[in-house]
Structures are given as structure tokens and as C-alpha cells.
Amino acid sequence: MSAAALGRGLLLAVVAERAVELGVSGRNARRLLARGAVEAGRGHYPAMVAFHAALLLACAAEPALLPGRWPPAAAWGAAAAVLLAQGLRWWVVASLGGRWTTRVLVLPGAPPIRSGPYRWLRHPNYLAVAVEVLALPLATGAWRTALAATALDALLLRVRIRAEERALGPGFWGAEGA
């Protein structure tokens, strides 16, 4: 399989995965809101949605508009990183269960999840996002997109994590998470 075919196939798989992810998130959000969850970070959410949609489009557009030779080893390595990031993301989804959404929804009084990847990381989903934002474009040969998207993602995640931390409150993580 060529690096280009690998990249295109992986990109299509990630688009399909996003559709499933949005379905799970929507169902969980409706249930959480019905139970009294409060949303935080609404202001940055549209920018995040637009960024992720643009990332997927750029991964397809850059190799088509600026074709070049992309080393197969780089594409395969990046594809492996994307798959590992997807594994981490779905481990997060499984660990949070009905509390996982793409939005910042906080259920008052709910204790923090300390199982799964949360045993070691406070924000494992954002690690998965950061790896994917860098690796998915590289898997498609869109190295310019990888550079630009990684820089923009760092700014968005900074805003997102701050909003989430404020929403959860200083006592949410307890002494061991501080």
C-alpha cells in the first residue's frame, strides 16, 4: 500500500470515527443535562468544532493541492501514532462512560473518575487529541497542516483545559491531583 493510499484510508476511518464519537457525545450530553449537568466553556466550543473540521479537510486538501513525495516510513509511523491516540481516546470514553462528551459538562457533586488513564493523567483525552492533530496530517503527507494545526491546537487546548479546570473547581481533584 502506498503512503498516499494509507493516508487517505486512515483519514476516511477517522472521519467515520468522528461521526460515531459525536453520536456518543450527543447521547451522553442529553442525559447529563437532563440530570442537571452544567455546561462551561461554551464560548470556545464553536472554534474547536471548526478547527477539527478544518483539520480533516486540510489533511485531504494539502496533499491534493501541494503534492510531493512523502516517505512511506513517515506515513506508517504517523498512522501508528493516530491509531494509538484513538485507542487512548476510546479508553477515556470507556473510563468516563456516560460522563464523556465533546463539551465541558459538569455534573454537580459527581466525584472525579480515577480509573483507566485517569490514574496517571488529568486530561488523557487532550493527549490523544494533541497526538492525533500532529500525526493525522503527517500520515496523509500534509506536513504544513501538521505544523500549523499543532500550534493552533496548543492554543485551543490551553483555553479548553483552563475552562474545564475552572468548571470542575479546585477541590475536584483533591490533594493527590494538585
Side-chain angles (χ1 to χ4, degrees):
M1 174 184 295
S2 72
L6 170 70
R8 285 190 300 271
L10 182 63
L11 181 58
L12 289 173
V14 168
V15 168
E17 185 276 336
R18 281 293 179 276
V20 171
E21 187 179 295
L22 290 173
V24 170
S25 175
R27 181 191 69 224
N28 289 347
R30 286 187 298 278
R31 290 177 180 169
L32 285 166
L33 290 168
R35 292 176 54 201
V38 178
E39 184 172 5
R42 273 190 210 156
H44 72 268
Y45 188 71
M48 289 193 72
V49 170
F51 167 76
H52 284 277
L55 172 68
L56 296 173
L57 290 172
C59 286
E62 182 182 334
L65 297 174
L66 300 167
R69 285 191 37 82
W70 189 243
W76 281 98
V82 170
L83 294 176
L84 289 171
Q86 294 304 319
L88 177 57
R89 172 178 286 113
W90 284 99
W91 189 17
V92 165
V93 172
S95 297
L96 290 177
R99 288 169 55 185
W100 182 85
T101 71
T102 60
R103 296 159 53 186
V104 178
L105 294 173
V106 178
L107 195 57
I113 301 295
R114 297 192 191 280
S115 60
Y118 289 92
R119 286 180 283 200
W120 301 286
L121 299 170
R122 252 165 105 147
H123 300 286
N125 192 63
Y126 302 140
L127 173 59
V129 169
V131 168
E132 183 183 78
V133 165
L134 174 62
L136 183 59
L138 293 177
T140 67
W143 64 268
R144 294 166 193 88
T145 297
L147 292 174
T150 297
L152 185 54
D153 185 52
L155 296 173
L156 286 170
L157 283 179
R158 184 175 179 209
V159 171
R160 173 68 168 215
I161 290 170
R162 283 182 175 173
E164 192 170 297
E165 292 284 331
R166 275 193 307 273
L168 293 172
F172 187 78
W173 297 101
E176 64 196 54

